[in-house]
Amino acid sequence: MKAPPGARPPRGAAPAGQGAAAVVSLREVAKVYRMGEAEVSALAGVSLEFAAGSFTAIMGPSGSGKSTLLNLLGCLDRPTSGSYFIAGEDVSRLDDDQLSEIRLRKIGFVFQSFNLIAQLSVRENIELPLYYQGWPHAESMKRAEELAGIVGLGGRLEHRPNQLSGGQQQRVAVARALANDPEVLLADEPTGNLDSATGVQIMDLLRGLNEQGKTIVMVTHEPNIAAYAAARVHMLDGRVDRIEE
Amino acid sequence: MHQSRVARNIRLGIKTLLLHKLRSFLTTLGVVFGVGSVVAMLAVGEGASAEALERIRKLGSDNIILDSIKATEDVQSGSVRSRISIYGLTYDDEDRIGRTFEAVKRTVPVKLVRKEGRLGDRTLEVRVVGTSPVWFDLVRREVIAGRLLGAEDDHGSTNAVVLTEYGARRLLATENSIGQTLRIGGGYFEVVGIVRNEVSSEGVQVPDEEVDAYIPIHVARGMFGDYVVRRSSGSREQEFVELHQIIVQVRSTEEVAATAAGIEAMLARFHKKMDYKVRVPLALLRSAEATKRTFNIVLGSIAGISLLVGGIGIMNIMLASVTERTREIGVRRAIGAKRGQIISQFLIETVVLSSVGGAIGIGVGALIPWLITLFAGMPTVVTAYSVVLSAGISLAVGLVFGLYPAVRAANLDPIEALRHE
């Protein structure tokens, strides 16, 4: 269950759908929701590979299945059929606790509305994944300081989220997503709640992280934001419509 | 390190609760009143019964008290204008009891005569208690002045009398009057000591009365004899009673019941009539303790209901809190918190709430009995067990009523929770 020590995948952006060193791969993944009597197909046989160190945007109109895809990638949900591998491990049939463990060790989330916990300080928000991993307090405090430095919020560790601007809150969220050194960073409309200037800053931050080797998968519907990614996956009616590099 | 993690969880729980100070405070009030009423009610119940138990203990839990009573067939024959009724315990009875039962440590003979006591121009109807010095070993009373009866009084040239505090006040006006001469009936006595007296009340009898005058039994017998003449509405009644009471002290409390039964059987053999009564303070003590238990259970149940209401209040607020914090729960789950970790987070918060409420409740519950004693004069006792019990109960209330909201929080679907609002 634990990430193999020192097994950092090779760096460099690789296009989705090909590449040998895939850190995340989906094979014929389908997701069917049951709504009363009717069955609704949200994903219909999606096969994708995300190479280590890649930066991919997932685009598409609402109802195209991009949110479902992101939930599956984030191990918040299980596919109805097909298989899903993260760092070589099939996670498509794991139970709730095992999925939590995968999220805790291998996945980082950045949300549109930041989703910081209001009663916790910046430091405590960043520490949260480490807290659930059971890190000793002193070490996780130190790690939180490092991460705050990386996202450019070194001096605001003891602030409350509501004392920060939107852009700063999203930086805290990025720091929190990086705390467990995830295999893949999942971003769901990361600039959706920000003005365009602040959005650019956040995208610069993400691009910088990608250049340092972080694998990023981002859902967005804004073409200029998607342009930061090396590859764009266009979804339509629960299928991959086309891949653009 | 594990210890500090628990402390950290509690600290985070407190921090979250302090976000809504008023709400948290109001939530704890239910437990405050519940626990407060448990402690206060038990203290009042305990105080009331402690007083009764103390009185019974003064009778002596290792004693058996035998009283002479007029048998019923004697009382009926009132048509005879003058007759002698002979009844009650005898010197032989006392002697036999002392010799027969190995468990009997000692016996105290008691002869009671009502006489007028006179000192100067003051008079008081006293109950002359003719007894042996051992009386004061069994009926322990504080000596206010002078001394108790001793062995020397049995053979001395002057007649000694020990008065009670009450009697001394009435007859001597001042308590410090050792050595004065008191006239009782036709005899003269020197006051050698004054003791404090207990007053019988609430159905618990003590062997002494406030008008007692204690003299050696052989003096009582010599001076007043075994005959008592009573005159009422023109009729004249004579009674012949050797001993009015025998107090039997048993070696240990374990042997009291068996010895009492033995004495009763023995008296039944030697007495033709039921002209005696056997009283066992220990049995009274046992039944008083049983009453106290019942009392405590009733009071405890009433208090338990208010605790239940308090617990439901906590559950209600925690359920509202779970709904309000659905998004937070979703975020925690997305980050990798397991269901169990969500459960423990919410459980800690409820237990902190109920424990704080319990601590305040114990304080309030200890204060109320104090005020009751101060203003109503009722005795109250806050016992350690009621405090421990309440602390345990408030912890349990937190766990029981926190479990459902916590499980509900943990079972939220993370995707739904993240989308909430």
Side-chain angles (χ1 to χ4, degrees):
Chain A
M1 195 88 78
K2 286 193 165 63
R8 279 210 68 82
R11 295 190 174 178
Q18 5 178 314
V23 67
V24 172
S25 66
L26 302 168
R27 275 179 214 153
E28 285 301 319
V29 166
K31 181 71 191 177
V32 179
Y33 290 107
R34 185 175 290 279
M35 301 188 82
E37 293 291 294
E39 287 191 341
V40 179
S41 174
L43 285 181
V46 172
S47 295
L48 278 173
E49 289 197 342
F50 301 91
S54 62
F55 190 170
T56 311
I58 296 171
M59 304 188 69
S62 59
S64 62
K66 59 183 195 303
S67 290
T68 306
L69 180 60
L70 194 77
N71 287 337
L72 285 173
L73 286 173
C75 290
L76 288 168
D77 209 348
R78 270 173 292 222
T80 311
S81 64
S83 47
Y84 172 30
F85 293 87
I86 293 182
E89 187 179 356
D90 186 358
V91 298
S92 45
R93 300 285 171 265
L94 297 183
D95 68 19
D96 190 84
D97 269 6
Q98 291 167 323
L99 283 179
S100 299
E101 191 69 25
I102 296 289
R103 293 196 295 273
L104 185 60
R105 306 276 170 188
K106 302 190 173 174
I107 292 164
F109 278 102
V110 176
F111 303 96
Q112 176 175 355
S113 48
F114 325 137
N115 279 342
L116 300 179
I117 292 172
Q119 68 265 31
L120 301 181
S121 68
V122 166
R123 184 201 297 275
E124 286 164 334
N125 266 289
I126 298 174
E127 277 184 274
L128 211 53
L130 307 176
Y131 165 77
Y132 286 122
Q133 283 190 14
W135 280 43
H137 196 197
E139 284 175 45
S140 76
M141 275 172 73
K142 235 175 80 185
R143 173 96 170 120
E145 277 167 41
E146 284 170 25
L147 289 162
I150 290 171
V151 299
L153 279 175
R156 296 200 151 70
L157 279 164
E158 307 310 327
H159 284 56
R160 285 288 170 84
N162 59 11
Q163 295 172 300
L164 302 178
S165 69
Q168 288 170 328
Q169 289 189 49
Q170 195 61 302
R171 284 170 188 276
V172 176
V174 172
R176 181 178 66 187
L178 291 173
N180 59 349
D181 193 16
E183 299 286 343
V184 58
L185 188 69
L186 300 175
D188 186 5
E189 304 271 12
T191 61
N193 280 16
L194 300 172
D195 61 62
S196 56
T198 316
V200 167
Q201 289 173 14
I202 292 297
M203 289 318 297
D204 285 339
L205 176 62
L206 290 180
R207 183 161 61 189
L209 291 169
N210 176 245
E211 277 163 6
Q212 287 164 45
K214 199 51 78 187
T215 310
I216 300 176
V217 178
M218 172 177 73
V219 166
T220 184
H221 64 271
E222 294 176 67
N224 57 327
I225 295 298
Y228 280 85
R232 280 158 293 281
V233 176
H234 292 269
M235 300 288 295
L236 193 66
D237 299 333
R239 294 179 187 282
V240 177
D241 187 40
R242 63 197 162 89
I243 299 174
E244 190 190 337
E245 284 163 38
Chain B
M1 195 169 84
H2 189 75
Q3 197 71 28
S4 78
R5 192 167 168 81
V6 172
R8 194 171 160 203
N9 287 340
I10 292 171
R11 191 177 58 79
L12 286 173
I14 291 170
K15 208 168 153 181
T16 307
L17 293 170
L18 286 179
L19 273 187
H20 304 283
K21 290 189 188 69
L22 182 65
R23 183 164 83 182
S24 298
F25 171 71
L26 292 176
T27 308
T28 57
L29 275 188
V31 178
V32 169
F33 291 135
V35 168
S37 55
V38 169
V39 175
M41 281 184 167
L42 288 181
V44 171
E46 197 72 34
S49 58
E51 203 184 25
L53 291 179
E54 183 52 31
R55 289 187 179 284
I56 294 166
R57 260 186 222 107
K58 282 191 175 130
L59 274 174
S61 58
D62 52 357
N63 293 351
I64 298 166
I65 297 170
L66 312 177
D67 292 301
S68 293
I69 53 166
K70 207 167 180 176
T72 41
E73 55 263 41
D74 275 4
V75 182
Q76 296 163 353
S77 49
S79 55
V80 186
R81 287 190 67 81
S82 172
R83 55 167 291 145
I84 303 173
S85 36
I86 303 168
Y87 68 92
L89 302 159
T90 63
Y91 298 106
D92 285 344
D93 284 334
E94 189 206 348
D95 191 43
R96 255 196 305 268
I97 290 165
R99 275 187 291 112
T100 311
F101 297 98
E102 211 179 306
V104 171
K105 204 159 132 195
R106 50 193 168 178
T107 58
V108 181
V110 181
K111 202 165 170 53
L112 303 170
V113 191
R114 300 263 170 196
K115 288 284 174 191
E116 190 185 62
R118 178 184 288 274
L119 197 148
D121 56 353
R122 289 164 180 272
T123 60
L124 175 71
E125 178 86 0
V126 297
R127 187 179 79 150
V128 178
V129 180
T131 187
S132 72
V134 183
W135 165 279
F136 294 102
D137 288 335
L138 300 194
V139 185
R140 291 190 177 275
R141 298 291 180 261
E142 188 191 342
V143 181
I144 297 171
R147 61 174 176 83
L148 299 172
L149 292 178
E152 68 269 27
D153 296 317
D154 280 344
H155 314 291
S157 51
T158 55
N159 294 328
V161 63
V162 170
L163 287 180
T164 62
E165 185 188 14
Y166 173 84
R169 276 226 184 90
R170 292 288 301 273
L171 285 168
L172 307 168
T174 157
E175 287 166 24
N176 197 9
S177 304
I178 303 301
Q180 300 239 33
T181 303
L182 178 69
R183 198 179 144 191
I184 302 173
Y188 291 90
F189 293 84
E190 184 193 345
V191 179
V192 298
I194 297 165
V195 293
R196 198 177 297 287
N197 55 285
E198 289 288 328
V199 183
S200 302
S201 70
E202 289 165 33
V204 182
Q205 278 191 306
V206 290
D208 51 340
E209 287 182 14
E210 57 187 8
V211 293
D212 279 354
Y214 303 99
I215 62 173
I217 187 157
H218 80 272
V219 177
R221 197 180 180 189
M223 197 169 285
F224 307 115
D226 295 329
Y227 282 95
V228 178
V229 181
R230 252 184 219 157
R231 290 182 186 86
S232 57
S233 60
S235 75
R236 208 172 107 97
E237 201 176 335
Q238 279 193 334
E239 287 182 357
F240 181 88
V241 180
E242 288 189 7
L243 288 174
H244 291 85
Q245 196 173 60
I246 301 172
I247 303 178
V248 180
Q249 192 183 24
V250 182
R251 277 186 312 207
S252 67
T253 47
E254 287 79 43
E255 290 168 302
V256 168
T259 309
I263 290 173
E264 201 144 19
M266 179 188 190
L267 290 176
R269 229 170 32 160
F270 285 93
H271 288 248
K272 290 197 199 83
K273 304 171 283 183
M274 269 296 285
D275 55 355
Y276 56 89
K277 202 173 104 193
V278 180
R279 282 190 291 150
V280 186
L282 186 68
L284 286 174
L285 191 72
R286 293 271 150 79
S287 82
E289 275 170 349
T291 312
K292 170 193 150 184
R293 257 197 303 281
T294 316
F295 194 55
N296 281 351
I297 288 170
V298 171
L299 287 182
S301 313
I302 294 168
I305 290 168
S306 51
L307 259 178
L308 184 74
V309 173
I312 292 169
I314 286 195
M315 182 152 84
N316 196 10
I317 291 296
M318 287 314 288
L319 282 173
S321 174
V322 167
T323 306
E324 197 177 275
R325 288 156 70 190
T326 299
R327 190 70 164 272
E328 175 191 330
I329 295 160
V331 173
R332 287 180 185 269
R333 294 282 279 134
I335 284 172
K338 294 187 179 68
R339 285 203 171 116
Q341 287 169 315
I342 300 292
I343 289 178
S344 73
Q345 180 195 343
F346 279 89
L347 263 190
I348 284 169
E349 285 180 27
T350 27
V351 168
V352 165
L353 272 182
S354 70
S355 303
V356 168
I360 299 172
I362 288 170
V364 170
L367 187 70
I368 290 171
W370 184 77
L371 291 174
I372 288 175
T373 307
L374 193 68
F375 291 113
M378 266 171 73
T380 55
V381 183
V382 179
T383 55
Y385 99 87
S386 72
V387 170
V388 172
L389 181 78
S390 314
I393 286 176
S394 50
L395 211 73
V397 163
L399 283 174
V400 169
F401 292 96
L403 193 61
Y404 175 64
V407 167
R408 216 160 111 150
N411 285 341
L412 288 173
D413 176 35
I415 298 170
E416 295 288 329
L418 277 169
R419 222 183 275 151
H420 192 257
E421 278 173 333

